[in-house]
Amino acid sequence: MPAPQAASALILFAAVLAGVFGFAGPAAAADGAKVFNLQCRTCHAVKSSVAGPSVHGVAGRKIAGLPDFAYSAALKAKSGVWTDAALDAYLAAPSKFAPGGRMITALASPADRAAVIAYMKTLK
């Protein structure tokens, strides 16, 4: 492969990895805000509600760790913290991540998940 094509392929590969693994910048967070507002905001607000826990400060927080939300037994049984990988797995297939959990909405697109995760990381 000639050098210019190899460089282009490497840049494309890096961009794909950035989208899939959440190495995203401000543009991804802005895209994530749009997706979040369309698909997540109904249940997840600044403060926890009956519909869902707050996602503010979710990155690095203990899974099922907010005292003001009644999590499902399935999510309470999970250990660890919300890493990018854990958030991605949960958003991709909530019922697979925590069988018996209550979240039913999934984000099929890896790019949408990466953008939403980037956005949630801006919420402090």
Side-chain angles (χ1 to χ4, degrees), residues 32 46 55 81 89:
V46 173
V55 294
V81 298

Side-chain angles (χ1 to χ4, degrees), residues 50-99:
V50 174
S54 170
V55 294
H56 286 245
V58 69
R61 182 169 69 213
K62 181 182 179 293
I63 295 173
L66 285 179
D68 68 343
F69 185 74
Y71 293 95
S72 66
L75 211 51
K76 285 181 188 178
K78 298 297 285 186
S79 62
V81 298
W82 287 118
T83 62
D84 287 3
L87 286 165
D88 184 65
Y90 187 55
L91 293 173
S95 61
K96 186 175 180 181
F97 182 87

